[in-house]
Amino acid sequence: NQLDVAMPGARTAIALAGVETGEVPRGSTLVGDSAWLPTTLIRADVTVLPGAEGSFGPRTQLRFHAGTSDVGARVVAREIRAGTPSSARVVLEEPVVLRAGDRFVLRSSAPLNTIGGGIVTDPHAPRRARPWPVGLLPQERLQRLLIEAGAAGLDSAALPVRLGLAPSECRVLLAESAREHFVIGSRVVARSIHHELGQRLVQLIDAHHAERPLDPGISAQLARSRLAAAPELIESVIQARVDAGDIAQLGGVLKRAGWTPALSDGDVHLADRVRSRLATAGAEPPSADEIVEELGTGVQAVLRFLEREGEIVQVEEGRYYEASQLTLLVGRLRQALGGGRMKSPSELREELGLSRKFLIPLLEYCDRVGYTNRGATGRVWRGT
C-alpha cells in the first residue's frame, strides 16, 4: 500500500529511483527539508554508567549510535561523573543527520560495551564550541545560539532542527521572546548584537567626522562594508539609529543628527585663498592638483566643501570655477550662440577667447546641465 506517513515501529519501504544499493548504506537518512544537514560536531548532555568514567578521555575512540547510524566518535568534556548528565562536545568521524533532542548511545570500541548515552542539545555546534550548562530550556538554547551566530544571525527555517521543536512551536517561542531578538527577513538576530552593531555604526560616523570635519558624513556604502554584516541587518541597524535620532541619512551619506560641516579658523584662511585664486584665474582656472601644489595640504577637502556650499563649481574632473566667474563665462557663451545658430568649437574658441583645453570641458559641462545641445557640427543654445 502507498502511505503518506510512516509511524514509529512500522516497516516501510521507499522506492529510490536511479540509486544503487551501495549508495545507501545503513544509517542513511532521507529528508525533505533543506534545514536537515549532516554534522560531525555536536553539543550534548552525556550520562555514563558507573565505572565507565575512565573511558571518556578526549582521544578515546568510541562508537556513536543514533537511529541506525553507527560511527566512530570522541567525547570532549571538562568533567564526567557517572550517573549525572555532563555537558560535552561529541566529535563524529563521519557525518550524521541529527536534530536537537535526539538520543544516542555510546559504546566502547573494544570490547563493544555500552558505557553511556546522551541527548543532542546542539546538532551543529561551532568548531570551538564552549560547553553549555546541562538541561537548558529551548528559550535558553535559542539565546545562546543567537549570541554565537553574531551578526550572521540564524536562519529561522533551521530553528526546528537546532532546537528540536516543531515549526509551530518555534514560531510561538520567537513570539514569546520577541524582546530578546529581531526577526529580519528570514533571519533571527539577538537584540544585543543588533545594539552592538548600532554602536559600531555611530562610532564609525563619529570617527569620520573627526577625521574629515569638512565632509557631510560617511558614505553609507563604506559604513556597510566596515560593519561586515548581512545587508538586511545593516539596513535595520541604520533605520533603528535614524528612528532613535542618533544619526541622519541624506541620500548615500550617513551623519550624526545635527552635524553640519564647518570651516575651522585655519580652513577659513585656506578657503579665502582658494576663492581668491579661482576668482583671479577667471575663465582659465588652475587644476585642483595645481592649487594643492600652490597652497598645500587640506585644499582638496576645502574644494569639496566650497563646492557643496555652491561657491565653486566643478566643470570637469579636478577643475573648479569660482561660481560668479562661471556665470559670466556661460553668459558669454549664450551671447555667442544667440539667434539659435549652431556654432562649431573652433568658432566658439575664437569668440570666447579660450584655448581648446578649457573650451571643450566647458561645452561638455553645458551639455550636461542643459544649457546647450550638441549637434553634428557644433552646439546650439537651449537653456533659458
Side-chain angles (χ1 to χ4, degrees):
N1 296 329
Q2 183 171 335
L3 301 176
D4 295 326
V5 178
M7 303 304 294
R11 293 178 60 87
T12 306
I14 299 176
L16 300 177
V19 178
E20 298 295 331
T21 303
E23 296 177 316
V24 190
R26 178 181 175 83
S28 297
T29 305
L30 185 66
V31 298
D33 186 340
S34 61
W36 289 78
L37 299 171
T39 182
T40 57
L41 179 60
I42 66 171
R43 284 188 177 102
D45 290 345
V46 174
T47 304
V48 303
L49 298 177
E53 300 94 320
S55 302
F56 285 85
R59 298 185 181 278
T60 304
Q61 294 295 319
L62 303 173
R63 301 304 299 178
F64 176 94
H65 299 264
T68 57
S69 297
D70 175 6
V71 301
R74 292 184 296 109
V75 176
V76 182
R78 291 180 178 176
E79 183 180 15
I80 290 184
R81 296 180 180 178
T84 302
S86 303
S87 177
R89 287 188 303 142
V90 182
V91 184
L92 307 175
E93 292 182 353
E94 300 176 38
V96 178
V97 176
L98 298 168
R99 76 195 291 259
D102 282 352
R103 296 179 179 273
F104 59 87
V105 173
L106 293 170
R107 292 176 176 167
S108 59
S109 295
L112 191 60
N113 295 321
T114 298
I115 58 175
I119 300 175
V120 177
T121 55
D122 180 9
H124 296 283
R127 183 176 179 182
R128 299 184 181 275
R130 294 183 177 182
W132 286 353
V134 172
L136 291 177
L137 297 174
Q139 170 60 32
E140 296 170 315
R141 287 187 280 123
L142 172 61
Q143 291 309 310
R144 289 173 180 269
L145 289 174
L146 290 175
I147 295 300
E148 282 186 348
L154 290 176
D155 185 350
S156 57
L159 291 181
V161 173
R162 297 296 297 271
L163 298 176
L165 300 175
S168 58
E169 293 175 313
C170 286
R171 289 192 290 272
V172 171
L173 180 60
L174 288 176
E176 291 176 345
S177 59
R179 291 184 178 182
E180 304 296 329
H181 59 259
F182 284 94
V183 178
I184 303 169
S186 64
R187 307 198 73 77
V188 186
V189 180
R191 190 169 291 268
S192 60
I193 298 296
H194 194 281
H195 179 69
E196 179 185 327
L197 280 174
Q199 290 181 316
R200 286 175 52 198
L201 174 63
V202 171
Q203 290 169 358
L204 280 174
I205 295 173
D206 285 343
H208 190 88
H209 286 335
E211 183 181 349
R212 300 186 177 184
L214 296 184
D215 282 2
I218 187 173
S219 160
Q221 188 59 39
L222 176 60
R224 292 185 185 100
S225 67
R226 290 185 176 175
L227 287 178
E232 315 87 64
L233 175 56
I234 294 177
E235 294 310 312
S236 174
V237 168
I238 291 174
Q239 189 59 53
R241 289 293 172 167
V242 170
D243 293 343
D246 296 330
I247 67 173
Q249 183 170 14
L250 301 175
V253 173
L254 300 174
K255 66 171 189 172
R256 286 303 294 266
W259 165 264
T260 301
L263 295 170
S264 66
D265 292 342
D267 290 333
V268 168
H269 177 64
L270 184 57
D272 288 340
R273 296 179 67 190
V274 169
R275 293 189 197 94
S276 175
R277 181 68 180 88
L278 292 177
T280 301
E284 296 189 348
S287 68
D289 289 341
E290 290 170 335
I291 299 177
V292 170
E293 187 175 346
E294 292 177 25
L295 303 182
T297 59
V299 167
Q300 290 285 9
V302 168
L303 286 170
R304 291 192 295 269
F305 176 83
L306 293 177
E307 182 185 22
R308 289 192 300 272
E309 295 296 307
E311 297 187 47
I312 65 175
V313 179
Q314 185 172 205
V315 169
E316 62 172 314
E317 183 67 29
R319 195 176 302 278
Y320 297 84
Y321 283 68
E322 196 271 332
S324 62
Q325 292 294 328
L326 180 62
T327 299
L328 291 174
L329 188 56
V330 171
R332 291 169 56 196
L333 176 62
R334 179 180 182 179
Q335 289 182 343
L337 294 174
R341 180 185 171 190
M342 180 174 291
K343 291 187 178 181
S344 67
S346 59
E347 292 176 296
L348 292 172
R349 187 174 63 233
E350 293 297 328
E351 294 192 38
L352 297 178
L354 297 176
S355 67
R356 186 176 181 84
K357 174 182 177 181
F358 292 92
L359 176 67
I360 298 303
L362 173 66
L363 294 178
E364 291 175 346
Y365 164 79
C366 290
D367 293 340
R368 289 195 305 272
V369 299
Y371 292 146
T372 56
N373 271 340
R374 181 177 180 178
T377 59
R379 261 77 175 183
V380 62
W381 185 262
R382 74 179 181 95
T384 57

